Amino acid sequence: IFLLLVVLSPILWFPYGFTEYGLYKYINFIFVVIPLVLISSIFTYQDVRRLFLTLLYFIFFLAILGVVIVSSSTERLSVLGGGPIVFARWMIIGIIILFFLKKKSLKNSILIIGLFVLSISTGSRGPILSLLLTAVIFFLLNFQNIFFKFIFIIFILTSFLFVFDSLKIQEIGKTERLVTKDNTSKNARLYFAFRSLELLSIYPTGVGIGNWQEYSNKTKKYHLLKHDYPHNLILEVFSELGLLGGIVLLLVLLKSIYFTFFRMLRYSKENSIYNLLFYLQLFLLFNSMFSGDLNDSRFLFIIISISLISEPLLKKRINEN
């Protein structure tokens, strides 16, 4: 239903017009996101595992580029045209894939630490905060099983922070942005949220894809916004697709998380992929609250599509050895 609403969203453009950004976002969603979602909805366990392994190799490639760049620059880390937040997000996706898909080993632990260092070198708070929130939920759901492991992890992180300070690792990239008192970014996002809610109260049926900035500025001509979107997926959808679009999106997100969570519990003693899907969904959802627009959330929609596959994604169902 949500995909159909996006497809039919140009109906809103007739009364409100459209922008070049909105047209680009619509075309990108129609010809990139929707086909990927439809294809991933018929994946098998093997297909899903192959997808994540391929993504892992891609993330390692980005990491290598990042190491080369960060060693010769003090700017915020980004590669291949993506911004720092995008790079940090890919690094943390790699961490989650390694943690849940690969066997625990010294090599994988070193890789996880390396990806984490690269993610914080971007100076992007959103992905780091999203990872922290995901880790807190993981701890709460697995408290009895990982209490002592958690104490050990705290010890390792404390030691890492000591080394972090001693070796001046904070001078890499723009890592200092994570601990500075500059609240410009946070205040801007809060203001985006207020403007989005104000826009929704005036236009409850939405103003059309890509029109958030234009109609936010029309409501307050004395305080114009330069940003194209509110850096919050749910507020963006509510503002541009209206109450109906926002409610449908919330229902899709809740259904997917609920469905994946209980399958994760049901198949906890079997070789399934639901642990990875559940926590990856949480991370991507949290991150979508801090940055990006509808197109930046395409991987979240793909993960949702995979999570809702009716056939259980179990290794034993395909007779793998």
Side-chain angles (χ1 to χ4, degrees), residues 18-33:
F18 66 90
T19 62
E20 182 179 345
Y21 162 70
L23 185 61
Y24 164 78
K25 187 160 68 170
Y26 177 77
I27 292 174
N28 188 284
F29 196 89
I30 294 297
F31 292 104
V32 177
V33 178

Side-chain angles (χ1 to χ4, degrees), residues 153-213:
I153 291 172
I154 292 297
F155 171 76
I156 293 296
L157 288 178
T158 304
S159 302
F160 175 75
L161 290 176
F162 175 77
V163 174
F164 185 93
D165 182 66
S166 301
L167 298 180
K168 305 298 181 183
I169 298 177
Q170 66 269 28
E171 296 178 2
I172 295 176
K174 287 292 181 180
T175 306
E176 73 276 1
R177 291 185 78 257
L178 297 175
V179 293
T180 58
K181 295 182 180 180
D182 179 15
N183 290 321
T184 303
S185 177
K186 180 183 73 175
N187 292 337
R189 279 163 170 73
L190 287 174
Y191 189 66
F192 293 163
F194 291 137
R195 295 289 287 268
S196 299
L197 294 174
E198 183 181 49
L199 191 64
L200 179 62
S201 67
I202 300 173
Y203 303 100
T205 58
V207 295
I209 287 182
N211 288 337
W212 178 83
Q213 179 200 52

Side-chain angles (χ1 to χ4, degrees), residues 224-237:
L224 302 181
L225 296 170
K226 297 181 180 180
H227 294 79
D228 291 323
Y229 50 89
H231 289 74
N232 183 303
L233 174 64
I234 292 177
L235 290 177
E236 176 189 356
V237 171

Side-chain angles (χ1 to χ4, degrees), residues 221-260:
K221 296 182 180 180
Y222 57 87
H223 193 158
L224 302 181
L225 296 170
K226 297 181 180 180
H227 294 79
D228 291 323
Y229 50 89
H231 289 74
N232 183 303
L233 174 64
I234 292 177
L235 290 177
E236 176 189 356
V237 171
F238 266 104
S239 300
E240 297 185 351
L241 296 181
L243 285 170
L244 177 60
I247 291 172
V248 171
L249 175 63
L250 287 178
L251 291 175
V252 170
L253 293 171
L254 291 174
K255 177 181 178 180
S256 177
I257 291 174
Y258 175 87
F259 186 83
T260 312

Side-chain angles (χ1 to χ4, degrees), residues 268-281:
S268 60
K269 295 182 180 180
E270 300 186 53
N271 198 340
S272 79
I273 210 160
Y274 289 108
N275 275 352
L276 172 57
L277 292 173
F278 177 73
Y279 290 105
L280 198 51
Q281 277 185 87

Side-chain angles (χ1 to χ4, degrees), residues 12 16 24 34 37 39 58 61 77 80 115 121 128 156 184 197 200 249-250 257 278 282 285 293 298 315:
L12 291 175
Y16 299 112
Y24 164 78
I34 290 182
V37 166
I39 291 171
F58 170 71
F61 171 69
L77 182 57
L80 298 182
L115 293 178
S121 70
I128 300 301
I156 293 296
T184 303
L197 294 174
L200 179 62
L249 175 63
L250 287 178
I257 291 174
F278 177 73
L282 290 182
L285 178 58
D293 63 357
R298 51 186 170 267
K315 184 177 181 179

Side-chain angles (χ1 to χ4, degrees), residues 113-124:
I113 293 174
L115 293 178
F116 181 70
V117 170
L118 284 173
S119 68
I120 63 176
S121 70
T122 64
S124 299

